[in-house]
Amino acid sequence: MTNSKQMQGFHGIDIGGSKIELVAFEDRDGVLVEAFRERVATPGDDFAAFVQAILDLVARGDAALGMAAPVGIGLPGVIDSASGRQLSSNVPALNGRLVAQTLQHALQRPVAIGNDCQCFALSEAQGGAADNYATMFGAILGTGAGGGYCVGGQLLRGFNGVAGEWGHWSLPATLLAQHGLMDYACPCGKQGCLERYVSGPAMSKLHAHFGGDGAEPLAIVARANTGDAVAERTVAVHLDLLGHALAGLVLAYDPHAIVLGGGLSKLPHLYDKLPAAVKRHLFPGVQVPPILPPRFGDAGGARGAALLIRQHTKA
């Protein structure tokens, strides 16, 4: 191993409702090289146990690197920019807590926290599917819809740290009426948020709305390919709604590439048909950027968190 006085290292931690994964990276001339990886169960209801789990993982990562490395953390939800407290986390123990400050005090080193979608985008912007693109948007289509925006391989987080939260834009009433859809409430407290119509669970809900059994998206697409009328309608409407949503991203951010993430990024038809669906919602003269599958997929969360702390420490 390179002498610890010369080597730089970073820990990336990906936190979910069921697991915490730490990956320790050596930074070799700007390239992150994995040196250690470990996953443990998330203590979802005990904040003290959660902090101790992080401390234990980081200690083992430090041992692997031979140094006390800065820590980047990606987790669901957002941080209240006024209070610094975690909001909307699927880890109940973290909700309302000063997670960053607590961990920084406990670890005695730099700590940076971003949401999981931003970490995904950063990972795909640096060495991923959108590497060498001037700008990119990472659009997550999983249990919800979120994302991150990178310029020159650097994540732009914005005034509140929520740049890229496109899933909470609203669909227009005209489009809902066109497809005979209701104005669904969102857990965020708003009505008609995009993620209620374009995420994985939303696609299943559309299938049930049109008379189906609410099957999983992969099954819906498979049925559509065999000529099932309800499945065909579901796929077509979902594609149109998603096309409208991504057209909004093009107009707001004008990225040079869009990289899809989350479970729906595994649906091949999106890469074939989405460009035309987006184009229908743009005015003449505006071109659709490449829409790409992810390189790292679910494995990119910890890597993106490590890139986030590297960006933070070099800012």
Side-chain angles (χ1 to χ4, degrees), residues 83-298:
S83 68
R85 298 182 183 277
Q86 187 68 28
L87 301 175
S88 304
S89 174
N90 67 347
V91 183
L94 307 187
N95 204 28
R97 298 280 188 171
L98 296 170
V99 179
Q101 295 90 325
T102 300
L103 291 176
Q104 197 157 27
H105 176 76
L107 292 166
Q108 293 295 299
R109 69 189 75 195
V111 174
I113 290 184
N115 72 34
D116 50 350
C117 298
Q118 291 176 339
C119 290
F120 163 80
L122 188 56
S123 183
E124 292 297 332
Q126 294 191 28
D131 193 38
N132 295 322
Y133 282 86
T135 66
M136 65 82 70
F137 194 95
I140 295 282
L141 294 165
T143 55
Y149 182 56
C150 296
V151 176
Q154 301 298 299
L155 182 68
L156 299 186
R157 303 181 68 185
F159 177 64
N160 290 288
V162 297
E165 283 288 352
W166 67 293
H168 295 286
W169 296 353
S170 297
L171 278 173
T174 52
L175 192 59
L176 294 178
Q178 177 184 329
H179 294 299
L181 299 174
M182 298 172 59
D183 188 11
Y184 298 129
C186 180
C188 78
K190 293 177 58 182
Q191 293 285 129
C193 289
L194 286 173
E195 72 170 28
R196 298 295 92 191
Y197 303 89
V198 302
S199 65
M203 192 174 185
S204 299
K205 190 171 183 177
L206 286 174
H207 188 247
H209 176 77
F210 293 135
D213 58 4
E216 293 297 311
L218 283 171
I220 296 170
V221 174
R223 292 180 195 177
N225 291 337
T226 66
D228 181 287
V230 173
E232 285 181 333
R233 184 180 182 188
T234 301
V235 170
V237 171
H238 178 265
L239 195 65
D240 188 49
L241 298 176
L242 183 55
H244 176 276
L246 295 187
L249 288 179
V250 172
L251 294 175
Y253 294 98
D254 200 15
H256 289 79
I258 296 173
V259 182
L260 301 184
L264 294 194
S265 69
K266 300 173 183 178
L267 298 177
H269 80 279
L270 293 182
Y271 304 100
D272 296 331
K273 298 180 179 179
L274 255 181
V278 175
K279 184 70 173 176
R280 288 196 298 271
H281 292 280
L282 293 171
F283 53 80
V286 179
Q287 301 303 309
V288 180
I291 298 175
L292 308 170
R295 177 178 177 183
F296 296 108
D298 293 341

